[in-house]
Amino acid sequence: EDPEAFRQTLPFYRVRLLYTGVLYAMSKTGLDPIFCSHAISAISVFLTLWVFAHMFKGVPPYPYWLCIPLLTLGLGFYEMARYSSPDALGAFVWSVTFLLFLRHRTSMLAMFPILVLVRTDYLPLICLMFLYILITRRYEWKLVALSSIVTAILFLSLQSHTYNWEVLMHYMSHPN
């Protein structure tokens, strides 16, 4: 509705490489880009709920599945499915990350670079998870180091093409 506001937000999407890549690939098949952006959100929300339904091993599925509608209403998942933003894709990638974490899979370490590709502002939570992993010695330190180095390189290379830290922190602290 506001072309100038849209133009001003475009630099933020340069660092959301995975989201814009999926959007680009879908639009290359002939689909409308606006439809693609909404489809990514809707599919991501559906997949996130599917991951939540299978998150805990050994839990009887039916009572747990009854809680999912309440969870979706309480957390606003239906709103995420309506908007065309990378938030739903981020929720899906985070849910996969936590699923792998709960199941003690080493492949969870590969999710951190993917999270940076979805949104670079996930870095503070990623750093907290790295700290927890290092303190608890949950995984081999060489794999943790490799994952952290790849994550840092991706983050720094993506940030070098958009905003500096000062501008990014200003936008994160003043969202309106």
Side-chain angles (χ1 to χ4, degrees):
E1 293 178 12
D2 184 359
E4 179 57 25
F6 177 72
R7 187 192 67 72
Q8 290 177 7
T9 61
L10 284 178
F12 279 113
Y13 285 91
R14 279 190 231 147
V15 296
R16 286 152 171 87
L17 200 60
L18 189 64
Y19 176 75
T20 55
V22 171
L23 181 65
Y24 178 76
M26 288 176 71
S27 67
K28 281 299 185 186
T29 65
L31 295 171
D32 178 56
I34 302 298
F35 170 79
C36 294
S37 66
H38 288 284
I40 292 169
S41 295
I43 291 167
S44 296
V45 166
F46 172 77
L47 291 173
T48 300
L49 295 175
W50 184 80
V51 169
F52 282 165
H54 297 89
M55 181 83 55
F56 302 104
K57 279 185 169 182
V59 175
Y62 299 114
Y64 185 62
W65 287 350
L66 293 175
C67 296
I68 290 178
L70 297 174
L71 179 72
T72 61
L73 291 173
L75 295 177
F77 274 87
Y78 61 93
E79 290 291 324
M80 256 198 299
R82 280 186 336 134
Y83 298 126
S84 59
S85 78
D87 295 338
L89 182 61
F92 169 63
V93 176
W94 272 113
S95 66
V96 170
T97 302
F98 288 126
L99 173 72
L100 295 172
F101 181 76
L102 289 172
R103 298 213 175 149
H104 300 283
R105 306 275 193 222
T106 306
S107 58
M108 188 270 303
L109 295 171
M111 296 305 292
F112 294 131
I114 294 170
L115 282 163
V116 168
L117 292 175
V118 174
R119 290 184 65 146
T120 54
D121 55 355
Y122 289 152
L123 190 66
L125 185 54
I126 292 170
C127 290
L128 286 174
M129 289 192 70
F130 272 130
L131 182 64
Y132 175 79
I133 289 168
L134 287 172
I135 291 171
T136 61
R137 298 180 183 174
R138 191 175 182 112
Y139 303 107
E140 186 179 342
W141 72 269
K142 291 177 185 177
L143 294 174
V144 175
L146 177 64
S147 178
S148 63
I149 289 169
V150 170
T151 301
I153 289 171
L154 280 174
F155 175 80
L156 293 172
S157 64
L158 287 171
Q159 284 303 113
S160 69
H161 295 294
T162 56
Y163 297 112
N164 62 27
W165 273 99
E166 182 182 335
V167 173
L168 185 65
M169 291 301 139
H170 171 75
Y171 281 116
M172 288 175 66
S173 62
H174 301 90
N176 294 330

